[in-house]
Each structure stands twice: as structure tokens, then as C-alpha cells.
Amino acid sequence: MKRYVIPALCLGPALCLGLLGATAAKAGTTTGSQAFGMSAVQAAVGKYGQSIGSDVRGMNPLGSLGGNAGYKNSGTGNVGAFNSGTGNVGAFNGNNNTSTTSGNGNIGAFNGNGNTGEYDGNGNIGAGNGNFNGGSFNGNGNVGAFNGNFNGRGNR
């Protein structure tokens, strides 16, 4: 058995595959062929790198748009994913409100969404709080799950 070492394959300073070893069996007096081709390995690594790059480009990790950090946030000062309004932390907070005074300062998931009045769905901690309120000052300051929803007129 003869041992062949394939040199290191480096794709930039941060990504180096290191040394790959391939063993070829000796058949009679003729050396066997290489177990795999490097072109297939390079193609696979290239596709994986492109996928990672597209994911990173779609994110907003530095908050360059309005002081947000996370993924697909709008408004200002939101941290997490799919948040709107101001000062929400978590996911799917402060979306689809007709008033800028609604859906702010929530922590958790699915808080302060779909409100049509003033000062609705603010300052909730947990999940599913302060949603779909039609009047004013509804669904605020709740802790836990599914509090302060569907209050006032004009909802649903």
C-alpha cells in the first residue's frame, strides 16, 4: 500500500480544509487510481460558501438601518427577528399597527401586533400579548401568555 498526501486546500484565511489523505491500493506492479477527484470537493465547498454568504447578506447584524440588530427588523431599536415599532426584543413584535404609539417595548414573541387604536400592545413580556385591539390603551403591561388581546371596538 502506498500513501499519498494531497496538499492543503485553503479558501481564504478563515477557511482551510487542512490536509486530506488518500490511500491507493497497489494492484500488481501498477499503482491504483486516486480515490476521488479534487474538483468534486472544491465544487461542494464552493456551493456551501455561497449559501452561507447569501444568508449573511440577508441579515442585519450590525444595525445599520435604524439601530436594529437581528433579522428583518424595521422601525428603531429592535433586537431579534421580524420586529417593527420601537424597542421590541424577540420575534414578531409590533407589526401591522395603524398607530406609531402601539406595539412598542415588548419582550418575547407575537406581542403588540394588529392594533388599530392608540397606545395598544405596549410593554408586554411573554408570548401573544396585546394583539388585535381596536380602542385605546388596551393590551399593555402584561406578563405571561395570551393577555390583553381583542379589546376595544373595531377589532377582528
Side-chain angles (χ1 to χ4, degrees), residues 6-53:
I6 300 168
L9 172 65
C10 291
L11 302 173
L15 180 62
C16 187
L17 294 180
L19 295 175
L20 297 174
T23 303
K26 190 172 182 182
T29 58
T30 307
T31 303
S33 63
Q34 189 174 331
F36 58 87
M38 282 307 296
S39 61
V41 174
Q42 290 169 339
V45 170
K47 286 181 183 177
Y48 187 67
Q50 288 174 355
S51 175
I52 293 174

Side-chain angles (χ1 to χ4, degrees), residues 36-154:
F36 58 87
M38 282 307 296
S39 61
V41 174
Q42 290 169 339
V45 170
K47 286 181 183 177
Y48 187 67
Q50 288 174 355
S51 175
I52 293 174
S54 66
D55 288 343
V56 171
R57 283 191 300 275
M59 294 175 65
N60 183 20
L62 300 178
S64 61
L65 299 174
N68 297 305
Y71 186 74
K72 301 291 185 185
N73 295 312
S74 62
T76 57
N78 298 300
V79 179
F82 302 101
N83 297 306
S84 188
T86 303
N88 295 300
V89 178
F92 300 100
N93 298 305
N95 297 302
N96 299 317
N97 296 303
T98 59
S99 171
T100 57
T101 60
S102 296
N104 302 310
N106 297 295
I107 299 173
F110 302 102
N111 297 309
N113 300 304
N115 297 298
T116 59
E118 302 283 328
Y119 302 102
D120 293 327
N122 297 312
N124 297 295
I125 300 173
N129 298 307
N131 299 305
F132 306 108
N133 296 296
S136 297
F137 301 98
N138 294 308
N140 298 310
N142 296 294
V143 178
F146 305 106
N147 299 302
N149 299 310
F150 302 105
N151 296 298
R153 293 179 298 182

